[in-house]
């Protein structure tokens, strides 16, 4: 972790662009100041094409082993967006860089490759995405359900906003008469 | 040191216990009966520890001041407040209240306030004590 | 998991869903050979309440109180991370004084949680007198919380764009009194934990998480720092007023000059953090600027502003158990967020349990499971299925095993 003392958000972005130029879109570097001294925390947002995603994670691991905080997901109508929230360069005072890599998957074929072989800690969050968003993770070491109970029917994904969403299972307890 | 906790234990033997024995020194077999006895003057209640200033307890509602703007309903996280459109007033179900006092903050005429009353247990969630209107 | 073979010596012990040492349900299945744990499988979700889904019908102000109810001990850090995410998405900057007040609240919560944990850890190895000492300390902190926030557990102190209650001059004596009381008692607690032979015997060399595993499995908070990984959101990034304060990473080698990553190191880690937190509160009280505590006191106006926001934000806060991260996305049309994703620290500290528990004894399960300070579970029942016979092991039984091990070691 010491060799990259000088890692800056610009360097990280350049590192990715050099390798995956046409497959990366919407690169933004945002900075947010806080406190009296207005020290800034940088965060990078980028969109990567699904075909280059696994390579990008490997590329990232070559730069520095990242901490994967969580994968969050959005149902955007026609596509499902997964956002991988990484943090880099931790262990240095005010030196941390947030890296948010988003991947859009078409709903007709929501498949993405696992990153568990590079980052074993991703297993829990990948299992969660699989059951909550109906994304198929290819090559996941353990594909059982994690949070959902066994009696929830297959093909219902609680975070979807379409017909596979959880609407059918609602029980409006507040409608019970007072 | 093998028994590093022993000095503490001996010191504690001569100290007053930290716990306040509310409502009685020994737990009564039936709290309801005990409270009835207290009401009749036959038993004595050990009072609870006083709450500090700014404690968020049972909501008090000043009905005359209320203008029926329904802003409190908009911010209430638990849906504990119901509108009474014909009177332009509100009705609060304390059984659902989470005591966050957000309605107090949002009220433009300050008709809501928090008291320090916190003993609100009841067998019926729609009992008269648990509805403020 | 494989079926138990009749010829093989290994057998399976399910622990949970109501389980040893902890406060919320989780399910473990251990594969045991003699007394040794060979393999562990963890199942979650027994208390999944769909909180993120519930947010779809609520506006951000209502979600603050929903977030507060994710966990009773972390009732500041979830609203804090949510607020940070919303403020990032909407580009709201809280006043400077509010940033300092938020740090004070966050650190009080950290001390409360760590002191509570120290008691629970002592209880797990059968050292109940320490439990009562720590909980007495905690009671003072709860009183302080009640004095500053208005309630003991659900603080209701956070709001978007600031904080709801100020700390005025006349409140400071009570805070310093409590801090002084804590410092006195902290010394006692430190002696008991670090010098006592019983605690050393039960915790040294037990439940080891190597630095490599901690990095690979993305562990967070005191669990990862006790393994020597320097990762602390308060130090790494600048949020609230942490960027202004004098704060450095704490790892157990500060005190012992070596990192083993065992249960003992995790105890040291948390005790050192209590001391650090007391220092941080004092720094804040000294350097706190004056001024407003909330940027937009009119809540309807704030809600209108948030309704127009179209964007996303991530909020990260170092909770007592580690990094908590919330992701919020607004679509600019609805009042409620389009997506809200919560990640509590224990979520990342589940996988590290597996290398910690492998190779240990059944009697060590409670203390190892408790050593990551998981935000789930409470002991109740362990069923040992041995062929056709079925025994039920109560919580008391597992606890008794743990105490018996302590007694054996003391002889």
């Amino acid at each position: 972790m010491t060799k990259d003392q000088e890692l800056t958000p610009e360097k990280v972005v350049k590192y990715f662009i050099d390798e995956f130029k046409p497959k990366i879109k919407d690169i933004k570097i945002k900075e947010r100041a806080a406190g009296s001294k207005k020290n800034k925390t940088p965060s990078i947002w980028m969109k990567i094409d699904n075909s280059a995603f696994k390579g990008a994670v490997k590329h990232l691991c070559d730069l520095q082993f990242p901490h994967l905080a969580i994968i969050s997901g959005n149902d955007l109508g026609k596509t499902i967006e997964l956002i991988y929230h990484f943090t880099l360069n931790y262990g240095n005072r005010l030196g941390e860089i947030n890296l948010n890599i988003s991947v859009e998957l078409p709903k007709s074929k929501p498949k993405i490759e696992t990153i568990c072989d590079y980052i074993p800690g991703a297993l829990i969050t990948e299992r969660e995405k699989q059951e909550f968003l109906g994304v198929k993770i290819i090559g996941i070491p353990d594909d059982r359900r994690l949070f959902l109970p066994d009696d929830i029917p297959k093909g219902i994904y609680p975070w979807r906003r379409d017909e596979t969403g959880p609407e059918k299972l609602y029980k409006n307890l507040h409608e019970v008469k007072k | 040191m093998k028994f590093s906790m022993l000095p503490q234990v001996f010191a504690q033997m001569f100290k007053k216990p930290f716990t306040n024995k509310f409502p009685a020194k020994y737990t009564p077999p039936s709290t309801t009966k005990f409270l009835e006895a207290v009401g009749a003057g036959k038993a004595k209640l050990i009072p609870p520890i006083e709450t500090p200033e700014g404690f968020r307890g049972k909501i008090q509602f000043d009905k005359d001041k209320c203008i029926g703007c329904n802003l409190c309903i908009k911010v209430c996280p638990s849906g504990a407040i119901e509108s009474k459109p014909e009177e332009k007033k509100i009705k609060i179900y304390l059984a659902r209240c989470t005591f966050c006092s957000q309605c107090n903050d949002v009220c433009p005429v300050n008709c809501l306030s928090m008291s320090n009353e916190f003993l609100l247990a009841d067998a019926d969630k729609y009992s008269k004590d648990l509805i403020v209107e | 998991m494989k079926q138990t073979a009749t010829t093989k010596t290994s057998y399976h012990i399910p622990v949970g869903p109501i389980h040893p040492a902890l406060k919320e349900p989780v399910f473990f299945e251990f594969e045991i050979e003699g007394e040794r744990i060979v393999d562990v499988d963890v199942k979650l979700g027994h208390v999944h309440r769909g909180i993120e889904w519930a947010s779809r019908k609520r506006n951000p102000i209502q979600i603050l109180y929903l977030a507060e109810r994710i966990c009773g001990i972390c009732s500041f850090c979830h609203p804090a991370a949510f607020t940070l995410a919303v403020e990032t998405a909407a580009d709201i900057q809280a006043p400077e004084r509010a940033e300092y007040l938020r740090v004070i609240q966050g650190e009080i919560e950290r001390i409360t949680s760590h002191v509570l944990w120290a008691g629970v850890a002592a209880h797990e190895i059968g050292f109940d007198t320490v439990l009562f000492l720590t909980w007495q300390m905690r009671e003072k902190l709860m009183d302080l919380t009640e004095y500053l926030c208005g309630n003991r557990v659900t603080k209701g102190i956070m709001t978007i764009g600031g904080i709801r209650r100020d700390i005025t001059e006349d409140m400071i004596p009570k805070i310093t009194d409590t801090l002084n009381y804590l410092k006195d008692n902290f010394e006692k607690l430190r002696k008991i934990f670090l010098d006592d032979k019983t605690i050393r015997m039960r915790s040294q060399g037990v439940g080891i998480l190597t630095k490599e595993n901690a990095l690979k499995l993305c562990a967070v908070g005191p669990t990862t720092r006790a393994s020597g990984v320097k990762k602390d959101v308060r130090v790494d990034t600048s949020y609230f007023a942490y960027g202004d304060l004098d704060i450095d990473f704490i790892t157990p080698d500060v005190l012992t000059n070596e990192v083993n990553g065992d249960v003992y190191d995790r105890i040291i880690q948390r005790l050192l953090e209590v001391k650090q937190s007391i220092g941080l509160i004092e720094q804040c009280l000294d350097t706190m600027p004056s001024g407003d505590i909330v940027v937009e006191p009119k809540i309807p106006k704030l809600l209108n502003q948030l309704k127009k926001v179209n964007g996303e934000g991530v909020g990260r806060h170092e909770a007592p158990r580690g990094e908590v991260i919330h992701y919020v996305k607004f679509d600019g049309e609805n009042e409620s967020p389009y997506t809200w994703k919560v990640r509590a620290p224990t979520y990342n500290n589940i996988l590290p349990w597996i290398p910690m528990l492998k190779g240990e004894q059944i009697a060590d399960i409670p203390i190892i499971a408790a050593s990551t300070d998981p935000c789930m579970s409470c002991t109740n029942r362990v069923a040992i299925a041995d062929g056709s016979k079925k025994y039920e092991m109560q919580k008391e039984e597992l606890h008794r095993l743990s105490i018996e091990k302590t007694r054996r070691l003391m002889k």
Side-chain angles (χ1 to χ4, degrees):
Chain A
M1 221 111 313
T2 45
K3 61 171 183 180
D4 301 302
Q5 287 285 343
E6 302 299 315
L7 204 65
T8 58
E10 289 76 19
K11 274 189 193 169
V12 176
V13 168
K14 190 172 173 296
Y15 179 75
F16 273 97
I17 288 182
D18 287 352
E19 186 78 18
F20 303 100
K21 180 87 178 91
K23 295 193 167 165
I24 296 189
K25 284 184 299 186
D26 297 350
I27 299 176
K28 280 174 276 181
I29 298 178
K30 290 182 190 167
E31 278 188 331
R32 194 172 156 77
S36 311
K37 289 185 189 158
K38 304 284 171 218
N39 289 314
K40 283 177 180 162
T41 306
S43 43
I44 306 167
W45 293 79
M46 57 169 83
K47 266 199 169 117
I48 288 189
D49 193 76
N50 191 6
S51 58
F53 172 70
K54 180 113 180 195
V57 174
K58 184 174 185 313
H59 195 57
L60 178 64
C61 291
D62 291 343
L63 175 72
Q64 192 190 65
F65 191 80
H67 171 84
L68 175 66
I70 186 71
I71 309 170
S72 56
N74 289 320
D75 180 350
L76 298 180
K78 281 181 186 144
T79 53
I80 293 171
E81 184 189 29
L82 292 182
I83 308 173
Y84 288 67
H85 302 279
F86 293 103
T87 58
L88 289 170
N89 213 24
Y90 47 88
N92 303 309
R93 174 77 172 133
L94 302 181
E96 197 168 46
I97 300 165
N98 298 325
L99 175 62
N100 307 293
I101 297 181
S102 97
V103 188
E104 273 193 43
L105 311 172
K107 259 193 184 162
S108 53
K109 212 181 115 208
K111 285 184 181 169
I112 191 164
E113 275 184 276
T114 178
I115 56 166
C116 282
D117 33 0
Y118 301 124
I119 307 166
L123 179 62
I124 289 215
T125 176
E126 283 192 346
R127 276 169 75 183
E128 190 197 38
K129 296 299 107 48
Q130 201 162 255
E131 65 185 358
F132 277 87
L133 274 168
V135 178
K136 178 88 189 104
I137 312 266
I138 304 164
I140 189 166
D142 183 353
D143 70 344
R144 291 171 304 163
R145 277 185 173 177
L146 178 71
F147 288 116
L148 288 186
D150 294 334
D151 56 356
I152 288 198
K154 282 217 165 79
I156 296 281
Y157 306 111
W159 292 353
R160 289 271 191 108
R161 282 168 183 268
D162 55 12
E163 69 285 349
T164 56
E167 277 77 9
K168 284 171 238 161
L169 303 175
Y170 290 177
K171 281 179 197 153
N172 283 337
L173 292 176
H174 59 271
E175 282 170 9
V176 175
K177 70 172 168 48
K178 279 175 186 164
Chain B
M1 204 167 134
K2 199 168 176 183
F3 299 108
S4 49
M5 199 57 208
L6 274 184
Q8 274 287 317
V9 175
F10 282 123
Q12 191 61 43
M13 286 170 78
F14 302 101
K15 275 191 206 156
K16 223 179 126 225
F18 203 77
T19 314
N20 177 40
K21 301 246 162 76
F22 170 77
K25 194 172 177 189
Y26 302 105
T27 319
S30 158
T31 316
T32 342
K33 275 184 192 151
F34 175 73
L35 288 178
E36 273 167 19
V38 170
K42 281 178 207 154
K44 223 181 139 214
L45 186 91
I46 298 178
I49 291 176
E50 268 188 40
T51 53
E53 207 185 316
F55 180 79
R56 302 196 307 266
K58 183 180 175 177
I59 296 185
Q60 281 169 337
F61 176 46
D62 189 343
K63 200 173 178 180
D64 301 333
K65 271 195 199 168
C66 180
I67 51 168
C69 67
N70 289 352
L71 275 176
C72 46
I73 298 175
K74 197 174 159 62
V75 295
C76 181
S78 57
I81 310 176
E82 200 178 69
S83 168
K84 291 199 287 185
E86 67 283 357
E87 280 181 70
K88 281 201 161 189
K89 302 285 170 195
I90 54 161
K91 187 175 182 183
I92 305 166
Y93 293 93
L94 284 183
R96 286 191 71 98
C97 179
T98 58
F99 304 96
C100 64
S101 91
Q102 191 61 252
C103 50
N104 295 208
D105 289 9
V106 80
C107 185
V109 290
N110 293 325
C111 70
L112 291 160
S113 61
M114 300 306 252
S115 68
N116 58 1
E117 194 185 337
F118 62 90
L119 295 168
L120 300 171
D122 204 312
D124 175 18
K125 59 181 173 177
Y126 302 115
S127 83
K128 228 172 70 196
D129 295 343
L130 292 185
I131 293 177
V132 178
E133 58 184 327
Chain C
M1 281 246 157
K2 301 186 294 281
Q3 281 291 313
T4 320
T6 41
T7 48
K8 197 97 192 299
T9 46
S10 85
Y11 56 101
H12 292 244
I13 298 187
V15 178
I18 315 294
H19 119 61
L22 317 166
K23 288 131 219 125
E24 271 176 78
V26 63
F27 177 81
F28 287 95
E29 191 169 333
F30 294 100
E31 195 181 334
I32 307 280
E33 248 171 45
E35 271 272 343
R36 303 255 139 219
I37 299 164
V38 189
D39 202 6
V40 192
D41 182 31
V42 188
K43 261 190 202 162
L44 305 159
H46 303 96
V47 276
H48 199 281
R49 293 162 290 174
I51 286 210
E52 286 135 329
W53 173 81
S55 77
R56 286 192 191 175
K57 289 178 179 168
R58 286 168 166 80
N59 63 39
I61 289 289
Q62 291 172 314
I63 293 176
L64 281 176
Y65 301 98
L66 185 66
E68 197 169 87
R69 276 150 186 84
I70 290 174
C71 169
I73 306 172
C74 319
S75 56
F76 174 77
C77 45
H78 282 291
F82 175 73
T83 307
L84 277 168
V86 173
E87 284 176 1
T88 315
D91 202 18
I92 297 171
Q93 198 82 44
E96 282 170 27
R97 188 177 173 82
E99 304 271 43
Y100 279 82
L101 291 168
R102 286 170 175 186
V103 171
I104 295 176
Q105 296 291 349
E107 295 306 316
I108 290 176
E109 183 177 82
R110 188 180 322 279
I111 304 172
T112 317
S113 172
H114 282 356
V115 169
L116 170 113
W117 176 84
V120 171
H123 168 73
E124 291 311 334
I125 55 173
F127 204 165
D128 277 327
T129 35
V130 182
L131 172 80
F132 288 104
L133 177 73
T134 52
W135 284 46
Q136 187 181 349
M137 284 168 74
R138 184 167 182 266
E139 202 52 44
K140 291 267 181 200
L141 281 158
M142 298 296 267
D143 285 349
L144 181 67
T145 314
E146 191 184 27
Y147 180 67
L148 295 178
C149 309
N151 257 340
R152 283 158 57 90
V153 176
T154 46
K155 301 183 180 72
I157 189 86
M158 213 50 187
T159 192
I160 293 158
I163 198 157
R164 286 176 68 197
R165 288 195 188 189
D166 198 1
I167 293 178
T168 49
E169 270 313 309
D170 54 318
M171 284 166 133
I172 290 175
K174 169 122 184 171
I175 302 175
T176 42
D177 279 356
T178 314
L179 289 183
N180 288 337
Y181 169 86
L182 275 178
K183 276 190 217 159
D184 295 346
N185 278 274
F186 174 76
E187 270 312 300
K188 278 184 209 161
L189 200 64
R190 197 182 67 92
K191 275 206 192 90
I192 291 162
F193 267 105
L194 302 187
D195 303 341
D196 196 279
K197 210 174 142 197
T198 323
I199 289 179
R200 271 172 185 261
M201 281 188 307
R202 281 306 302 277
S203 58
Q204 273 181 337
V206 173
I208 291 174
L209 180 71
T210 57
K211 187 173 178 178
E212 199 201 340
N213 271 335
L215 277 171
K216 267 192 178 165
L217 299 175
C218 303
V220 288
T223 311
T224 190
R225 289 197 286 278
S227 296
V229 181
K230 290 187 174 171
K231 181 162 187 9
D232 188 330
V233 185
R234 294 174 294 166
V235 192
D236 286 328
T237 66
S238 164
Y239 72 102
F240 294 169
Y242 286 114
D244 303 350
L245 300 171
D246 178 22
I247 171 174
D248 201 5
F249 296 99
I250 285 196
T251 43
D253 51 342
V254 176
L255 193 75
T256 56
N257 294 323
E258 54 173 0
V259 178
N260 299 316
D262 53 8
V263 174
Y264 189 67
D265 273 1
R266 289 195 275 279
I267 295 174
I268 298 178
Q269 176 67 32
R270 290 210 172 76
L271 290 178
L272 290 172
E273 280 183 21
V274 170
K275 207 174 173 189
Q276 184 189 34
S277 295
I278 296 173
L280 284 175
I281 297 175
E282 283 174 341
Q283 272 188 47
C284 282
L285 289 176
D286 290 345
T287 55
M288 200 158 54
S290 55
D292 286 341
I293 56 161
V294 68
V295 73
E296 177 54 74
K298 290 200 182 71
I299 295 158
K301 208 173 155 190
L302 177 78
L303 281 174
N304 272 336
Q305 190 189 340
L306 290 175
K307 199 175 171 180
K308 289 178 205 129
V309 173
N310 186 357
E312 52 195 349
V314 171
R316 295 162 68 228
H317 170 60
E318 185 76 16
R321 291 168 182 75
E323 171 200 45
V324 41
I325 167 166
H326 283 216
Y327 166 81
V328 175
K329 182 184 168 80
F330 289 102
D331 61 358
E333 289 160 23
N334 293 307
E335 207 167 37
S336 47
Y338 190 77
T339 311
W340 176 40
K341 173 76 193 121
V342 179
R343 204 233 49 212
T346 309
Y347 193 101
N348 274 25
N349 283 341
I350 284 163
L351 284 174
W353 262 341
I354 295 167
M356 274 183 214
L357 285 164
K358 272 187 192 172
E360 302 296 345
Q361 295 183 350
I362 304 175
D364 290 325
I365 297 172
I367 181 67
I368 293 174
S371 74
T372 67
D373 197 1
C375 209
M376 35 167 54
S377 238
C378 168
T379 332
N380 240 341
R381 184 184 75 228
V382 180
I384 297 190
D386 179 17
S388 57
K389 283 183 207 157
K390 256 196 176 176
Y391 307 97
E392 284 227 327
M393 242 159 111
Q394 299 295 328
K395 152 204 179 190
E396 291 73 24
E397 183 72 10
L398 204 66
H399 190 191
R400 186 184 56 79
L401 271 178
S402 181
I403 293 173
E404 273 176 9
K405 183 172 178 188
T406 307
R407 300 249 160 87
R408 266 204 315 277
L409 285 169
M410 280 175 84
K411 274 175 193 160

